[in-house]
Amino acid sequence: MSGTIVVGVEDSPESRAAAEWAAREAMLRGLRLKVVYVAEPTPRFVARTPLLDPETYRHWAEQLTREAAEGIRLRHPGIEVITEQLTGTVADVLCEAAGFAELLVLGSRGLGGLEGFMVGSVSLGVVARAERPVVLVRAGEQAADEHRMDPVGVPSAAAPFRPVVLGLDIDHPDDTVLEFAFDAAALRRAPLRAVHAWPEPPTSFYRFAGDAELYDELERGQATLLNKALRPWRQKFPDVEVFEASRCGGAAQVLVNDSRDASLVVVGRHIRTGSFGAHLGHVAHAALHHIAAPVAVVAHS
């Protein structure tokens, strides 16, 4: 269904955070929101709980979906909210639902501290297979978290958005990923920080003479390539302020470090159709596990 954001819900804090984020995004984009609950034919907890028979489970699922939609309508008037209850293997059904949406939104449980975040097998499976953009939202995510402090230093959703951060592979820059990131920044009237990582020169481990000159040359060359990849998109989105961050280091760690103040982080995922099946690259995997902001994974060919 075109013109629709789909959010998968369940009875969890991360699901509620995802539904709220999806509602705010639907408002920004002027799209309708579909709230989806996927019921497994024989849910694991039903099998373990004799008092909760399949009919009771069905009514519970209906109530959960209905109450989620009603709450969104109350908190976000003006958004068209529809609901759907589906049956099947959760990851399979959500991947199919994503194919008919502009965007699929799912929740991701937070652990806090240095432990990072817990991304369930269902969410990871959907992200690795869906061919439409998928956004994972942490438990506890609030609207104010995506905005700068107000003039008195208090988090406020009325303040400007924090930057949108794009993890960019300049060896294979993809238009789908770039357009998604620039469009997200334009919608938020936020700056876009394009982050690119390049490996340390091999000689630096041995401290050869001329290492500093080699490093400077590589740094200038990589910055030039990043600028070249962004140039046509700057022209397409002249109102988006762009900051270029070309860093020496591992791509995953560089992106995590540069995303601490992000409102949204955008990474690409290459669609693989070979015998190895679905695949989630190490940069996207690190982003999903270690970045606190919502993370959009954009599939591309």
Side-chain angles (χ1 to χ4, degrees):
M1 184 182 297
S2 62
T4 302
I5 291 176
V6 172
V7 58
V9 298
E10 57 180 4
D11 188 17
S12 68
E14 57 269 25
S15 174
R16 289 187 281 274
E20 285 299 303
W21 188 92
R24 297 194 299 270
E25 191 71 10
M27 182 71 76
L28 275 176
R29 295 173 178 259
L31 302 176
R32 82 183 112 185
L33 178 64
K34 178 190 277 191
V35 179
V36 173
Y37 181 85
V38 181
E40 295 180 283
T42 307
R44 291 184 294 274
F45 68 85
V46 170
R48 295 197 305 265
T49 310
L51 296 178
L52 191 57
D53 59 77
E55 185 65 16
T56 303
Y57 171 61
R58 184 178 66 82
H59 286 301
W60 173 84
E62 289 176 353
Q63 181 179 0
L64 174 71
T65 310
R66 182 177 63 254
E67 290 180 351
E70 289 173 353
I72 290 170
R73 293 188 188 103
L74 286 172
R75 291 184 294 274
H76 306 275
I79 299 176
E80 180 185 356
V81 184
I82 57 177
T83 63
E84 187 171 18
Q85 295 173 61
L86 303 170
T87 302
T89 303
V90 178
D92 292 343
V93 174
L94 288 175
C95 281
E96 184 177 356
F100 297 94
E102 296 289 328
L103 189 65
L104 173 66
V105 185
L106 301 173
S108 177
R109 188 164 69 250
L111 296 177
L114 298 176
E115 295 176 295
F117 298 91
M118 181 70 71
V119 183
S121 59
V122 170
S123 294
L124 280 178
V126 173
V127 170
R129 292 164 49 197
E131 297 192 3
R132 297 292 296 162
V134 181
V135 176
L136 262 64
V137 180
R138 314 301 179 195
E141 171 75 13
Q142 301 286 330
D145 297 335
E146 299 162 26
H147 294 258
R148 300 185 185 277
M149 298 287 188
D150 69 9
V152 296
V154 177
S156 171
F161 275 95
R162 296 177 183 271
V164 172
V165 175
L166 165 65
L168 184 60
D169 178 2
I170 62 171
D171 293 327
H172 306 284
D174 184 84
D175 287 351
T176 304
V177 180
L178 281 157
E179 183 173 23
F180 185 96
F182 270 85
D183 186 56
L187 287 168
R188 289 162 172 76
R189 298 181 181 178
L192 176 70
R193 182 186 303 142
V195 179
H196 160 63
W198 48 278
E200 192 172 17
T203 60
S204 63
F205 294 106
Y206 304 99
R207 300 174 184 254
F208 287 166
D211 275 357
E213 290 82 0
L214 174 61
Y215 183 95
D216 290 343
E217 183 180 349
L218 285 171
E219 186 176 40
R220 288 191 298 270
Q222 293 294 319
T224 298
L225 292 173
L226 177 59
N227 181 272
K228 181 179 179 181
L230 295 171
R231 191 177 304 139
W233 294 95
R234 276 192 161 110
Q235 295 171 354
K236 290 182 181 179
F237 292 85
D239 294 332
V240 174
E241 185 178 15
V242 180
F243 296 96
E244 300 175 13
S246 180
R247 318 278 194 210
C248 178
Q253 190 60 55
V254 166
L255 180 61
V256 170
N257 290 341
D258 266 87
S259 300
R260 300 188 190 280
D261 63 340
S263 63
L264 177 70
V265 177
V266 181
V267 294
R269 180 187 71 80
H270 185 68
I271 298 173
R272 296 187 179 182
T273 57
S275 57
F276 293 104
H279 175 75
L280 186 63
H282 75 284
V283 175
H285 193 274
L288 292 174
H289 283 85
H290 298 289
I291 292 175
V295 176
V297 180
V298 182
H300 62 89
S301 57

